[in-house]
Amino acid sequence: MNNIYTRVSVRQYEDRPVESEKITEILRAGMQAPSCGNQQPWEFYVVTNKEKLIALSESHRYAGCAANAPAAIVPVYRKKGLWLPEYAHIDMAIAQENMWLMTDALGLGGVWLGIAPQQERMDALREILELPDDLEAFSIFVLGYPAGTKKAQEDRFDENRIHYVV
């Protein structure tokens, strides 16, 4: 679990595809996430089509790195059939984090681009991916083999943020 401490956001990728077996492992990790009431609101769109990656890169000002990436995964959530819909974003965030940690463990790099709850971004992805009405885009997870290396984040542990109630 050391990659919890060493994972970084990667926005530049080598010009090589990500093997389908690795994509499957990343998706498997996402679907293994805990979910409120076990509602598992997620579905995933795997994007490798260059035109669609470029369209994703233009969906908002921080998504430019998708244009030169070999792949992106767009986690979406169902709006219907959930008994606890107010927790769908939490479930999706946990699934996304699992996917990111697996991506790192497989020697790949990625970056999580926020979409929900910004309606303009959600609408843009609906149009790009032709999502049905009962699905909403949660994020874009751009991934690939990192071009170069990045230094791990600083240690964020801060004892002053811990409060014990005994």
Side-chain angles (χ1 to χ4, degrees), residues 22 102-109 144-146:
K22 288 187 177 184
M102 180 57 77
T103 298
D104 186 74
L106 293 171
L108 300 166
Y145 286 92

Side-chain angles (χ1 to χ4, degrees), residues 74-77 89 92 114-118 121-126 129 131 135-140:
V74 179
V76 302
Y77 60 95
H89 284 189
M92 297 303 295
I115 298 298
Q118 294 188 9
R121 293 179 183 183
M122 295 165 73
D123 291 343
L125 266 64
R126 171 176 308 290
L129 298 176
L131 296 177
L135 296 178
E136 288 287 0
F138 176 71
S139 64
I140 303 172

Side-chain angles (χ1 to χ4, degrees), residues 17-128:
V18 176
E19 299 85 351
S20 62
E21 298 82 15
K22 288 187 177 184
I23 298 281
T24 299
E25 281 304 306
I26 292 164
L27 294 168
R28 183 180 301 278
M31 291 183 202
Q32 197 61 36
S35 146
C36 185
N38 200 29
Q39 64 185 351
Q40 302 175 39
W42 45 69
E43 293 190 21
F44 302 92
Y45 283 68
V46 179
V47 182
T48 57
N49 175 283
K50 189 64 173 172
E51 289 178 14
K52 293 292 186 181
L53 288 166
I54 290 170
L56 290 176
S57 78
E58 296 168 349
S59 66
H60 69 83
R61 64 188 285 189
Y62 301 109
C65 62
N68 296 313
I73 299 172
V74 179
V76 302
Y77 60 95
R78 294 184 313 279
K79 296 190 299 185
K80 297 178 182 170
L82 302 179
W83 50 92
L84 298 164
E86 62 274 22
Y87 291 98
H89 284 189
I90 296 169
D91 294 346
M92 297 303 295
I94 298 167
Q96 177 69 76
E97 180 70 7
N98 276 12
M99 291 167 50
W100 203 345
L101 292 173
M102 180 57 77
T103 298
D104 186 74
L106 293 171
L108 300 166
V111 63
W112 176 348
L113 305 173
I115 298 298
Q118 294 188 9
Q119 195 62 54
E120 181 178 307
R121 293 179 183 183
M122 295 165 73
D123 291 343
L125 266 64
R126 171 176 308 290
E127 184 176 324
I128 293 165

